[in-house]
Amino acid sequence: MVLAAAVLVADGVSLLLVGSAALWLRGEPVTVGDVDVVIEPGRENLRRLHAALSGVALRPRDIPAPHRLAGVPVVTIATSYGRVDCLLERGRRDWARLREAAGPVAVADVSVLVASADDAWALRRRFKGPGG
Amino acid sequence: MSGRSGLGLVEVAVLEALDAAGATPDRRHRRSARVLAIVEERIGLAPGYAYQVLTDLALPWKVPVPLVDGHGNFGSPDGDPPAGWRYTDVRLSPAGQVTLAAERGELAPVPAGLITGNTYQWGLRPPFRPTAVIEAIRQVLARPRTTGPEITEIVGPPDFMTGCTVTGDLAGLAAGRPVDLRLHARVTITDDAHLSARIDGNAPGSWFKPGQLNRTVLVIDNFPPTTGPAEVARAIASRAREPQWAAGYPDLTRRARLPVQDIADLSSCRGGYLLACLPEPDADLDELRQQVSEIEGVTTRLPAALPRPLAKTIRDWSRSWPGEDLAASLTVLEDAIASSRLCDG
C-alpha cells in the first residue's frame, strides 16, 4: 500500500508520509489501513498532485480540480494501490515543521519523506483518539 | 431500527408508502414519483433522499432479498445510476409485503433487517444469507439451549449478493465488535475453453475471440458490491501502462506495473460481470494473480459492526414472540423470498 506514496513521489509530487503507513515504515507495530500524506503547499505541486492522482484513481471524477485543491482540507481518493488521504490543510499549516523532523525512507527505489515517529503518533492521537 | 423487522425508519416509511399507493405484489407497478410524494408527505423526507433507499431496496445486487419490485431502468452493479423517479415504476415485492405485515403486527416479527443489513447504504451492518438466518432462528426455537457458537456457525459469514469472498475478523464481528472486513473478487487463471463457455458466444469489440486464443487468461468476477468491472478495468489499465518515470525507478516499476497486455469486459447476462486480462507472454501468472488480487477494487475494505452479538440477536428474536407464530412467520417469509427472487429473474 505504501507503493501509492512512492508512485506519487515518482510522479513529482512533494509530500510527506504520516499516519499508519509512516509508523509502519518506522517499525511501529501498527496495521496499515490506508496511506495518509501531507502535501507541500504551492500551486505547481498541487497541479502535479492532480495529474498523478488522475493516473491511478479508480474514479478520476472524485479528484477536485487543481485550483480547488488549494482550498480543501482533505481529499480521499481510492487508487489502484489503495486509499490515499491527501492532508492538504495540514500541509498548509505544518509543512515546514513536519518537514524539519522528517527523514527519507526507501520504498522500492524511491526516497519517500516519512514523518518522525513522534509527529506521526501525535497526528494519529489528535485525529483518531487513543483507540485509533 | 424497528424491533419487528429490524429495518430502519426510512425503509419502513418507503414500504408503507408503497402500500398506501396501492403498489402491492398483486397489483400493477406505480410510478416512483408518486410513492416518493407519499414518503415526503408522511415523514418529510425529500424525494432525492428517499429515492436512493427505494431503489436500493429493489436492487438484487445490493440487498439479498429485494423488498421492492422495480420496473424500468434501475442501473447496473457497475455504477450506472437508476433513471429518474419520473421514469421508473415500483411495487412491494412479496418479501416486502411480508415485512410490512410484520411491521404492522399482522404477522410475528421477521428478521428482514438482519438479512438485508445496511452496508448498501454505507452503514456498518453487513447482510447475511437469508436461509441461514431463518435456519438459525428455527434451530433456537426447536432447541432453546443452542449455544452462541452453534448459532454463529449456522448463520455463517456475511453474504453479499455479488458472491465476493469475505475475510477478516469474522469472530469479532459475530461478537459485536467493530471490525474491518475485506471483500475479495474472485481472480482465476483459466483458458479459452473455460472462458468461452462462460460468455454469450462472442465478445464484440474485444481482443477475445472464443475458440481462437492459445493462451491462458486471468479472469476476475464476483466483484465486491462497491466496485465493478469498469472501475477495476480502469485500475488495471492504469497499472499496466509504462509509467513516465519507468526509467528513473526500475524497482518501483517492477513492483507497481502489471504485466497485462489487454483487458476485456466480457460481462453478459449469462456469465454475469466478468473481466478478462491478457497477460504479457513472459508474465509470471501466479505473481500476476497475486498482484491483481491486491488491487483496490478487486479487494476492498469494509468497516462493519453489529449492534449486538449475533447469537444474542438471534436468541432474543426467537424469544420475542410465541414460537408457533414465529415459525409460521418464517415460513411465510421463506416463501416470499423465493417469490421475490423469481420476480428479479
Side-chain angles (χ1 to χ4, degrees):
Chain A
M1 195 171 278
V2 290
L3 277 185
V7 167
L8 293 179
V9 172
D11 259 331
V13 180
S14 174
L15 58 81
L16 196 148
L17 192 62
V18 294
S20 56
L23 290 167
W24 181 74
L25 283 174
R26 294 280 184 208
E28 302 282 332
V30 294
T31 308
V32 181
D34 54 16
V35 167
D36 299 322
V37 289
V38 173
I39 306 294
E40 181 177 8
R43 207 162 69 174
E44 188 53 29
N45 195 41
L46 295 185
R47 192 190 58 72
R48 285 196 294 267
L49 174 68
H50 185 272
L53 288 175
S54 300
V56 291
L58 261 61
R59 290 175 288 272
R61 63 179 180 274
D62 291 351
I63 309 168
H67 69 276
R68 283 202 57 227
L69 287 173
V72 294
V74 177
V75 169
T76 298
I77 300 293
T79 75
S80 54
Y81 300 94
R83 205 180 72 159
V84 178
D85 289 336
C86 299
L87 312 181
L88 294 145
E89 174 73 22
R90 188 57 37 202
R92 290 191 286 273
R93 287 185 183 195
D94 288 342
W95 174 263
R97 186 182 62 76
L98 291 170
R99 171 71 188 84
E100 202 172 311
V105 171
V107 176
D109 43 12
V110 180
S111 178
V112 177
L113 270 180
V114 179
S116 68
D118 285 349
D119 280 341
W121 275 121
L123 282 171
R124 191 177 167 89
R125 274 192 291 271
R126 184 165 175 184
F127 292 105
K128 294 203 171 176
Chain B
M1 205 165 70
S2 156
R4 300 194 57 90
S5 69
L7 291 182
L9 296 174
V10 180
E11 281 93 343
V12 173
V14 164
L15 298 185
E16 290 277 10
L18 283 161
D19 188 58
T24 48
D26 55 335
R27 298 174 70 180
R28 66 181 171 83
H29 292 82
R30 307 286 165 164
R31 197 44 52 99
S32 297
R34 184 173 162 195
V35 176
L36 296 175
I38 298 174
V39 174
E40 185 172 16
E41 187 185 305
R42 292 188 168 190
I43 63 168
L45 190 69
Y49 296 106
Y51 191 48
Q52 178 88 52
V53 177
L54 177 69
T55 51
D56 280 351
L57 290 178
L59 301 179
W61 59 87
K62 284 208 171 180
V63 289
V65 180
L67 302 179
V68 174
D69 175 19
H71 180 73
N73 176 3
F74 274 73
S76 75
D78 210 12
D80 286 339
W85 53 78
R86 289 180 192 82
Y87 309 103
T88 58
D89 302 308
V90 285
R91 67 181 176 189
L92 283 167
S93 72
Q97 192 175 41
V98 168
T99 305
L100 188 57
E103 267 300 320
R104 290 172 169 169
E106 297 159 10
L107 276 177
V110 294
L114 184 59
I115 290 170
T116 305
N118 65 358
T119 47
Y120 68 91
Q121 271 291 348
W122 304 283
L124 291 174
R125 287 184 290 117
F128 288 94
R129 195 156 54 87
T131 49
V133 171
I134 292 172
E135 172 58 28
I137 297 176
R138 283 218 174 98
Q139 176 71 21
V140 177
L141 285 174
R143 203 165 63 86
R145 291 196 173 183
T146 306
T147 64
E150 284 171 338
I151 295 171
T152 305
E153 194 179 329
I154 296 171
V155 175
D159 185 63
F160 292 85
M161 293 310 291
T162 58
C164 63
T165 307
V166 182
T167 61
D169 184 3
L170 298 174
L173 177 73
R177 291 195 295 272
V179 297
D180 265 344
L181 298 179
R182 290 180 78 75
L183 311 184
H184 310 265
R186 186 169 62 168
V187 182
T188 45
I189 298 168
T190 189
D191 57 19
D192 184 309
H194 284 92
L195 186 54
S196 299
R198 284 199 55 190
I199 64 173
D200 278 339
N202 57 37
S206 92
W207 51 264
F208 182 67
K209 308 287 178 222
Q212 296 177 26
L213 189 71
N214 269 335
R215 287 165 54 185
T216 46
V217 285
L218 201 76
V219 168
I220 309 167
D221 57 4
N222 296 1
F223 293 87
T226 47
T227 56
E231 263 179 25
V232 170
R234 196 180 302 119
I236 292 175
S238 77
R239 297 277 296 272
R241 281 194 297 266
E242 184 85 351
Q244 287 177 345
W245 36 262
Y249 301 103
D251 190 30
L252 179 63
T253 309
R254 188 183 57 75
R255 290 174 58 183
R257 188 180 164 273
L258 294 175
V260 170
Q261 226 170 18
D262 218 333
I263 307 163
D265 187 343
L266 302 179
S267 304
S268 65
C269 292
R270 185 171 151 204
Y273 284 84
L274 187 150
L275 202 62
C277 301
L278 183 67
E280 289 176 354
D282 56 350
D284 179 331
L285 290 179
D286 286 329
E287 194 181 319
L288 176 61
R289 182 166 171 260
Q290 184 62 34
Q291 281 178 296
V292 168
S293 300
E294 287 167 4
I295 282 185
E296 183 71 22
V298 178
T299 294
T300 60
R301 194 171 62 110
L302 181 80
L306 297 172
R308 290 185 305 162
L310 183 61
K312 182 168 168 47
T313 303
I314 297 274
R315 200 175 274 128
D316 288 352
W317 202 281
S318 311
R319 289 173 186 156
S320 67
W321 206 263
E324 285 173 16
D325 290 353
L326 264 182
S329 194
L330 290 176
T331 304
V332 174
L333 178 65
E334 226 167 15
D335 292 345
I337 288 172
S339 311
S340 300
R341 285 182 165 170
L342 285 177
C343 288
D344 303 335

